[in-house]
Every structure is written in C-alpha cells, then in structure tokens.
C-alpha cells in the first residue's frame, strides 16, 4: 500500500498544483489550470469539496474506489484519507475544488453547525450527483467565493467568504434531498432490507454476542455509511434509524415477556442488554409499565 502523506494547509494543496494561494485558509481552484500532479494518498487537515465535470483518474477514498462521472460532488472532512494508489503516475486534475481550513470558520455560526452537514461523512459511493442546473448553482457559489478572494481584503471579506461557503453547503443539503427522492425505489429497497435485517438479528443469537445493535451495525450490513443510512431512513420513513431499532427491540421484548416463562433478567440478556436493570428502565419509560407488571396485567 502506498505511503499516506499529511495535507496540512491550503498553500500546500495549491503548491502541488502550481496555483497561487490568495488566502491562507481558503481556496477555489479551476483544476484545468493546475499542473499535472503525482498520485499519492493523503490524510487531510482540511475540508475539501471536489466538483468533477468529466470522467477522470480513479480516486481512492477510505477503502473504496470511485470512478467519477460528470457533475459529481465529493466531500472530504479533516481526518479522512483520500488519493491515488498509483504513486508513480502523473495525471492532470480536472473540474473544480473548494477547500478551507477549520480555522477559517472557528468561532462562527458555520463553525458551530459544520458537523450538521452529514454528507462530509458519507462514503464515496454516496457522492452527490448533480443535474446541469444544480451544477450551475455550485459554480456560481464557487465564483462568488473566488471573487472575494481576488478582491482586496477588507473588514467584510471573511464574513462574505464564510457566508458563501455556508450558502453552498445549504444548497448541497437541498440537492441531497432531491437525490434521495429521485432514487426512491432504491431507497425503499434499502428500508425493506433494514427491516429484514432487524428481524434476522433478533431471531439469531447475535444480541447475546453483539449486544444492543447500533445504527452503524445495520449501516455496515447494508454497505452504507452510518450518516447516509441515517439520513436515508429518516427522509424515507419520517423516523430515525435509532427509532426503528428501538421500536423493534420493544416489540420483541413485549412478545417474549408475554409468551415466555423465562425471567425478566433472562429475556434482557437474550435481546442484548448487558444489565437487566437497563432493560427494565427502558421498558418502563416506553411502555409505561415494568416488564413484570406488563406480564401480570396481560395474563
């Protein structure tokens, strides 16, 4: 496996591509103007958004590969690994890229809300595919940010740059909502598979091995990132993935409390609780009665 290099600054990214740095914490590049770069893998300290307009070099992101098509946005957050396995090959970057250091937004409203943009944690196969109109909107946002970077710095520069980045990210939230809708059949199939996976989990011995299942557990079963899976389930069903898990857990618990002669502690261990007292507390919170009271009142 190729060595992983640290990408620490905007100027480092720009220098690799032979482009000027107009601001130390943020940059918008037309990659057609970049110099050819050598393939490498990086762990980034930056937020990076690639807009790929033509099919180009295959990029490795995390453990997956992605073969870009026209009009695709890929979001990379600090701490994530991306790049190319072939570290001997030179290639020409294409499309556009927006990148900024977390220090740019520290102490601002965007700095406080950046974690709410879940698509920075989506896997590469969950990238955003843009329509022609959406692509134009993205390029308009990039153009406004670039204009501010080329403008003489004044007291308004930073707030305008950050406002335009936030506007761009909010458009991306809208575009992802559209992508969820336009892939409705695919997502309904994932919901069905999720419900089947829940049934299979509680019919097996997995609860006694795994414990209480997490959203991540089922996301991995369905080959999705936890954030994308959670957003998909919420938009498709109106309930969070965690609510689906908890509802299934309570259905199974109520069924076993009523149909089994086992003790409440035995049932708690069977369905994944480490401590029976936690099971009793959750059951009472959600059902309004303790498991034992529920059993006695229904028999």
């Amino acid at each position: 496996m190729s060595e992983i290099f640290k990408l620490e600054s905007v100027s480092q990214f720009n220098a690799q591509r032979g482009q000027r740095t107009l601001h130390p914490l943020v940059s918008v590049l037309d990659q057609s103007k970049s110099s050819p770069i050598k393939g490498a893998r990086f762990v980034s300290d930056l937020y990076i958004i690639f807009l790929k307009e033509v099919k180009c070099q295959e990029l490795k992101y995390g453990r997956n590969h992605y073969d870009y098509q026209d009009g695709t946005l890929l979001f990379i957050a600090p701490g994530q690994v991306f790049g190319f396995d072939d570290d001997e090959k030179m290639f020409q970057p294409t499309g556009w890229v927006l990148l900024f250091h977390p220090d740019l937004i520290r102490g601002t409203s965007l700095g406080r809300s950046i974690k709410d943009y879940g698509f920075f944690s989506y896997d590469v196969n969950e990238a955003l595919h843009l329509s022609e109109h959406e692509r134009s909107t993205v390029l308009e946002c990039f153009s406004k940010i670039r204009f501010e970077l080329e403008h003489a710095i004044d007291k308004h520069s930073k707030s305008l740059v950050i406002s335009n980045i936030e506007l761009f990210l909010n458009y991306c939230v809208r575009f992802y909502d559209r992508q969820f809708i336009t892939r409705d059949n695919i997502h309904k199939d994932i919901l069905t598979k999720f419900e089947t996976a829940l049934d299979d989990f509680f019919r097996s011995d997995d609860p006694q091995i795994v414990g209480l299942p997490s959203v991540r557990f089922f996301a991995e079963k369905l080959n999705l990132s936890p954030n994308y899976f959670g957003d998909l389930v919420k938009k498709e069903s109106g309930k969070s993935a965690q609510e689906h898990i908890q509802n299934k857990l309570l259905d199974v618990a109520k069924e076993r409390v009523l149909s089994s002669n086992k003790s409440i502690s035995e049932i708690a261990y069977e369905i994944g609780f480490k401590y029976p007292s936690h099971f009793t507390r959750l059951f009472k919170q959600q059902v309004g009665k303790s498991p034992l009271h529920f059993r006695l009142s229904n028999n």
Side-chain angles (χ1 to χ4, degrees), residues 3-17:
E3 182 180 356
I4 298 177
F5 298 95
K6 190 77 175 289
L7 179 58
E8 299 179 304
S9 67
V10 168
S11 59
Q12 179 188 356
F13 185 96
N14 292 346
Q16 289 171 351
R17 287 155 176 76

Side-chain angles (χ1 to χ4, degrees), residues 211-234:
L212 294 176
S214 63
V215 172
R216 177 178 292 277
F217 175 86
F218 288 106
E220 289 176 354
K221 288 274 187 186
L222 298 170
N223 297 313
L224 297 170
S225 67
N227 278 37
Y228 188 88
F229 175 63
D231 289 347
L232 185 158
V233 170
K234 180 71 172 178

Side-chain angles (χ1 to χ4, degrees), residues 29-71:
L29 300 181
D30 175 355
Q31 297 242 72
S32 67
K33 297 177 181 177
S34 291
S35 304
I37 61 175
K38 181 182 287 189
R41 298 183 72 209
F42 299 92
V43 57
S44 174
D45 285 346
L46 311 172
Y47 289 97
I48 308 174
I49 300 100
F50 289 105
L51 170 61
K52 292 300 181 181
E53 297 179 313
V54 295
K55 187 174 179 180
C56 68
Q57 176 75 12
E58 187 181 71
L59 180 119
K60 187 171 179 64
Y61 176 81
R63 293 169 296 174
N64 299 310
H65 285 84
Y66 188 75
D67 191 12
Y68 287 115
Q69 303 298 322
D70 292 3

Side-chain angles (χ1 to χ4, degrees), residues 85-237:
D85 279 337
D86 188 351
D87 54 11
E88 297 301 318
K89 185 176 179 180
M90 301 293 291
F91 66 93
Q92 175 62 50
T94 60
W96 290 77
V97 60
L98 163 65
L99 60 151
F100 57 95
H101 195 282
D103 285 350
L104 176 74
I105 60 173
R106 211 175 299 281
T108 69
S109 62
L110 179 57
R112 290 186 290 274
S113 65
I114 191 73
K115 297 297 183 185
D116 296 335
Y117 296 101
F119 42 72
F120 277 108
S121 297
Y122 288 177
D123 278 346
V124 67
N125 58 310
E126 300 152 354
L128 179 57
H129 305 285
L130 301 173
S131 68
E132 186 62 32
H133 179 71
E134 290 167 348
R135 174 180 165 279
S136 297
T137 300
V138 168
L139 288 175
E140 184 179 347
C141 290
F142 284 5
S143 177
K144 288 179 179 178
I145 297 168
R146 180 78 184 186
F147 173 81
E148 288 301 326
L149 297 179
E150 292 174 340
H151 189 278
I153 294 176
D154 57 31
K155 64 180 181 180
H156 305 290
S157 299
K158 181 178 178 180
S159 63
L160 286 169
V161 167
I162 293 172
S163 294
N164 278 298
I165 292 174
E166 190 166 17
L167 176 65
F168 160 69
L169 294 176
N170 287 335
Y171 271 121
C172 292
V173 172
R174 169 186 280 180
F175 299 157
Y176 258 114
D177 283 349
R178 184 271 310 153
Q179 182 160 300
F180 282 125
I181 292 168
T182 55
R183 297 183 172 191
D184 192 52
N185 289 336
I186 296 171
H187 294 158
K188 278 187 168 58
D189 185 49
I190 289 171
L191 269 184
T192 300
K193 290 179 179 178
F194 178 32
E195 293 298 335
T196 301
L198 277 168
D199 290 337
D200 291 345
F201 180 84
F202 286 108
R203 277 199 294 261
S204 71
D205 294 329
D206 283 350
Q208 297 162 58
I209 302 168
V210 176
L212 294 176
S214 63
V215 172
R216 177 178 292 277
F217 175 86
F218 288 106
E220 289 176 354
K221 288 274 187 186
L222 298 170
N223 297 313
L224 297 170
S225 67
N227 278 37
Y228 188 88
F229 175 63
D231 289 347
L232 185 158
V233 170
K234 180 71 172 178
K235 287 181 173 65
E236 192 65 42
S237 70

